[in-house]
Short mmCIF file of all heavy atoms in Angstrom, two decimals:
data_model
loop_
_atom_site.label_atom_id
_atom_site.label_comp_id
_atom_site.label_asym_id
_atom_site.label_seq_id
_atom_site.Cartn_x
_atom_site.Cartn_y
_atom_site.Cartn_z
N VAL O 1115 10.16 -39.88 52.62
CA VAL O 1115 8.79 -39.92 52.13
C VAL O 1115 8.37 -41.39 52.13
O VAL O 1115 9.08 -42.23 51.60
CB VAL O 1115 8.70 -39.33 50.71
CG1 VAL O 1115 7.28 -39.37 50.21
CG2 VAL O 1115 9.21 -37.91 50.70
N ASP O 1116 7.23 -41.68 52.74
CA ASP O 1116 6.87 -43.10 52.89
C ASP O 1116 6.20 -43.68 51.64
O ASP O 1116 5.85 -42.95 50.71
CB ASP O 1116 6.01 -43.32 54.15
CG ASP O 1116 4.69 -42.59 54.05
OD1 ASP O 1116 4.43 -42.01 52.99
OD2 ASP O 1116 3.93 -42.57 55.03
N GLU O 1117 6.06 -44.99 51.67
CA GLU O 1117 5.59 -45.74 50.50
C GLU O 1117 4.17 -45.33 50.11
O GLU O 1117 3.85 -45.18 48.94
CB GLU O 1117 5.63 -47.23 50.85
CG GLU O 1117 5.62 -48.16 49.65
CD GLU O 1117 6.74 -47.86 48.67
OE1 GLU O 1117 7.89 -47.61 49.11
OE2 GLU O 1117 6.47 -47.86 47.46
N LYS O 1118 3.33 -45.07 51.12
CA LYS O 1118 1.92 -44.76 50.87
C LYS O 1118 1.81 -43.42 50.09
O LYS O 1118 1.04 -43.32 49.13
CB LYS O 1118 1.22 -44.64 52.22
CG LYS O 1118 -0.28 -44.90 52.16
CD LYS O 1118 -0.85 -44.82 53.56
CE LYS O 1118 -2.25 -44.26 53.50
NZ LYS O 1118 -2.69 -43.74 54.79
N THR O 1119 2.60 -42.46 50.51
CA THR O 1119 2.58 -41.16 49.84
C THR O 1119 3.04 -41.29 48.40
O THR O 1119 2.44 -40.73 47.48
CB THR O 1119 3.50 -40.17 50.58
OG1 THR O 1119 3.23 -40.26 51.96
CG2 THR O 1119 3.31 -38.76 50.08
N LEU O 1120 4.12 -42.05 48.21
CA LEU O 1120 4.64 -42.23 46.86
C LEU O 1120 3.60 -42.90 45.97
O LEU O 1120 3.43 -42.55 44.81
CB LEU O 1120 5.92 -43.07 46.89
CG LEU O 1120 7.13 -42.37 47.50
CD1 LEU O 1120 8.30 -43.32 47.58
CD2 LEU O 1120 7.51 -41.15 46.69
N ARG O 1121 2.88 -43.85 46.56
CA ARG O 1121 1.82 -44.55 45.84
C ARG O 1121 0.75 -43.53 45.40
O ARG O 1121 0.26 -43.56 44.28
CB ARG O 1121 1.21 -45.59 46.80
CG ARG O 1121 0.36 -46.64 46.18
CD ARG O 1121 1.18 -47.68 45.46
NE ARG O 1121 0.64 -47.86 44.11
CZ ARG O 1121 1.30 -48.40 43.11
NH1 ARG O 1121 2.55 -48.81 43.26
NH2 ARG O 1121 0.75 -48.52 41.92
N TRP O 1122 0.43 -42.62 46.32
CA TRP O 1122 -0.59 -41.60 46.00
C TRP O 1122 -0.13 -40.72 44.84
O TRP O 1122 -0.89 -40.43 43.92
CB TRP O 1122 -0.85 -40.74 47.25
CG TRP O 1122 -2.12 -39.97 47.12
CD1 TRP O 1122 -3.34 -40.36 47.54
CD2 TRP O 1122 -2.28 -38.69 46.51
NE1 TRP O 1122 -4.27 -39.39 47.23
CE2 TRP O 1122 -3.65 -38.36 46.59
CE3 TRP O 1122 -1.44 -37.79 45.88
CZ2 TRP O 1122 -4.18 -37.18 46.09
CZ3 TRP O 1122 -1.96 -36.61 45.38
CH2 TRP O 1122 -3.31 -36.31 45.49
N VAL O 1123 1.15 -40.32 44.87
CA VAL O 1123 1.67 -39.47 43.81
C VAL O 1123 1.67 -40.24 42.49
O VAL O 1123 1.34 -39.69 41.43
CB VAL O 1123 3.10 -38.99 44.16
CG1 VAL O 1123 3.69 -38.17 43.03
CG2 VAL O 1123 3.09 -38.17 45.42
N TYR O 1124 2.00 -41.54 42.58
CA TYR O 1124 2.00 -42.37 41.37
C TYR O 1124 0.61 -42.42 40.74
O TYR O 1124 0.45 -42.24 39.54
CB TYR O 1124 2.46 -43.79 41.75
CG TYR O 1124 2.69 -44.71 40.58
CD1 TYR O 1124 3.86 -44.60 39.85
CD2 TYR O 1124 1.76 -45.67 40.24
CE1 TYR O 1124 4.09 -45.45 38.78
CE2 TYR O 1124 1.97 -46.52 39.17
CZ TYR O 1124 3.14 -46.41 38.44
OH TYR O 1124 3.36 -47.22 37.38
N ASP O 1125 -0.39 -42.62 41.58
CA ASP O 1125 -1.77 -42.64 41.06
C ASP O 1125 -2.17 -41.26 40.54
O ASP O 1125 -2.90 -41.15 39.55
CB ASP O 1125 -2.74 -43.08 42.17
CG ASP O 1125 -2.53 -44.53 42.55
OD1 ASP O 1125 -1.87 -45.24 41.75
OD2 ASP O 1125 -2.99 -44.95 43.63
N ALA O 1126 -1.69 -40.23 41.21
CA ALA O 1126 -2.05 -38.87 40.79
C ALA O 1126 -1.53 -38.57 39.38
O ALA O 1126 -2.19 -37.86 38.62
CB ALA O 1126 -1.50 -37.84 41.77
N THR O 1127 -0.38 -39.13 39.01
CA THR O 1127 0.14 -38.87 37.66
C THR O 1127 -0.84 -39.37 36.60
O THR O 1127 -0.99 -38.74 35.56
CB THR O 1127 1.50 -39.54 37.44
OG1 THR O 1127 1.39 -40.92 37.69
CG2 THR O 1127 2.56 -38.93 38.31
N PHE O 1128 -1.52 -40.51 36.89
CA PHE O 1128 -2.49 -41.01 35.90
C PHE O 1128 -3.72 -40.12 35.85
O PHE O 1128 -4.29 -39.89 34.78
CB PHE O 1128 -2.86 -42.47 36.23
CG PHE O 1128 -1.75 -43.42 35.94
CD1 PHE O 1128 -0.92 -43.87 36.94
CD2 PHE O 1128 -1.49 -43.82 34.63
CE1 PHE O 1128 0.13 -44.72 36.68
CE2 PHE O 1128 -0.44 -44.67 34.36
CZ PHE O 1128 0.38 -45.12 35.38
N ALA O 1129 -4.12 -39.62 37.03
CA ALA O 1129 -5.27 -38.71 37.06
C ALA O 1129 -4.95 -37.44 36.27
O ALA O 1129 -5.79 -36.93 35.51
CB ALA O 1129 -5.62 -38.36 38.51
N ILE O 1130 -3.70 -36.95 36.42
CA ILE O 1130 -3.29 -35.74 35.69
C ILE O 1130 -3.34 -36.02 34.19
O ILE O 1130 -3.84 -35.22 33.41
CB ILE O 1130 -1.88 -35.31 36.13
CG1 ILE O 1130 -1.89 -34.81 37.57
CG2 ILE O 1130 -1.32 -34.25 35.21
CD1 ILE O 1130 -0.53 -34.60 38.17
#
Side-chain angles (χ1 to χ4, degrees):
Chain O
V1115 180
D1116 63 5
E1117 199 56 42
K1118 205 177 146 199
T1119 313
L1120 290 176
R1121 195 75 230 161
W1122 196 92
V1123 177
Y1124 187 79
D1125 292 344
T1127 56
F1128 288 99
I1130 291 169

